[in-house]
């Protein structure tokens, strides 16, 4: 079965990593679109507040059925130490369809263990592979080794 890369990205860093994974795995992807405005200073504030409160949001229609893929590779920026509302919502709506899962995130400098532990609890599955990248590392483009390590962990042979 093929992998599916599912991601949310507000400003492009997580999307860049998602695209590198899609290229490396030659697989499909699903970009989550939050119907709540997250751009600009007010969007930033609501994003932080909603993430901290662990609020769900409304996503635009999902195009791909995760039940047809294995693993589901889920990527989110860290917001207020936790998941973006869009990824929290996607997991809540689709976790019964997941087979294996793998997680990746981008962040501004926070540790990622707590985020991944929360994603594991929400998915009710242990990830087969994890990848955390700092935003500035993504900007330099110098993270291909970490992508390879993450992909090796998926054992997609
Ligand atoms: C509302 C909000 C809260 C954030 N909180 C954190 C945080 O707690 N820890 C951290 O390291 N980075 C935090 N960041 C930074 C993002 O995780 C980082 O910029 C990420 O790479 C953005 O990904 P994106 O470009 O895909 O949206 C936050 C960003 C936003 C917008």
């Amino acid at each position: 079965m093929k992998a599916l890369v599912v991601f949310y990205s507000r400003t492009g860093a997580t999307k860049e990593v998602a695209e590198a994974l899609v290229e490396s795995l030659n697989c499909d992807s699903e970009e989550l679109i939050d119907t709540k405005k997250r751009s600009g200073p007010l969007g930033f504030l609501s994003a932080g507040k909603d993430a901290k409160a662990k609020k769900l949001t409304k996503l635009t229609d999902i195009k791909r059925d995760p039940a047809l893929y294995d693993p589901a590779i889920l990527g989110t920026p860290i917001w207020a130490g936790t998941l973006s509302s869009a990824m929290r919502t996607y997991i809540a709506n689709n976790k019964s369809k997941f087979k294996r899962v793998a997680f990746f995130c981008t962040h501004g400098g926070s540790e990622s263990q707590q985020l991944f532990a929360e994603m594991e609890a929400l998915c009710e599955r242990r990830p087969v592979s994890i990848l955390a990248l700092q935003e500035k590392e993504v900007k330099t483009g110098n993270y291909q080794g970490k992508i390879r390590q993450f992909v090796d962990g998926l054992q997609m042979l």
Side-chain angles (χ1 to χ4, degrees):
M1 252 185 174
K2 263 198 165 182
L4 177 66
V5 174
V6 183
F7 66 97
Y8 172 76
S9 184
R10 176 176 172 268
T11 49
T14 313
K15 183 170 185 160
E16 202 173 316
V17 179
E19 285 169 350
L21 288 171
V22 166
E23 194 182 319
S24 172
L25 289 159
N26 187 26
C27 70
D28 290 337
S29 66
E30 173 91 54
E31 177 168 9
L32 304 179
I33 308 291
D34 194 338
T35 59
K36 190 160 177 181
K37 188 172 177 280
R38 301 295 186 188
S39 57
L42 288 179
F44 179 93
L45 286 177
S46 84
K49 201 163 153 253
D50 290 355
K52 205 167 173 195
K54 304 191 187 300
K55 260 196 180 172
L56 298 184
T57 187
K58 188 166 165 30
L59 302 174
T60 60
D61 285 348
I62 296 301
K63 299 182 186 70
R64 311 226 181 237
D65 179 359
L68 304 177
Y69 295 88
D70 180 30
I73 302 173
L74 310 176
T76 179
I78 296 186
W79 281 1
T82 185
L83 292 72
S84 59
S85 302
M87 183 51 72
R88 184 180 296 280
T89 304
Y90 181 80
I91 292 172
N93 294 345
N94 294 281
K95 69 174 173 191
S96 63
K97 298 180 178 175
F98 296 158
K99 295 176 178 66
R100 295 179 305 150
V101 293
F103 306 144
F104 68 100
C105 73
T106 69
H107 59 83
S110 285
E111 294 290 332
S112 55
Q113 288 97 322
Q114 204 186 315
L115 168 84
F116 290 146
E118 196 176 352
M119 291 175 80
E120 178 176 332
L122 292 170
C123 291
E124 296 172 15
R125 279 165 185 74
R126 190 166 278 260
V128 290
S129 200
I130 52 173
L131 170 66
L133 291 167
Q134 198 165 352
E135 188 178 11
K136 65 179 183 201
E137 204 177 354
V138 177
K139 294 274 154 65
T140 63
N142 194 15
Y143 57 93
Q144 290 310 318
K146 291 186 180 174
I147 292 273
R148 268 195 300 277
Q149 241 184 342
F150 176 79
V151 167
D152 283 350
L154 302 174
Q155 300 188 306
M156 293 298 296
L157 295 176

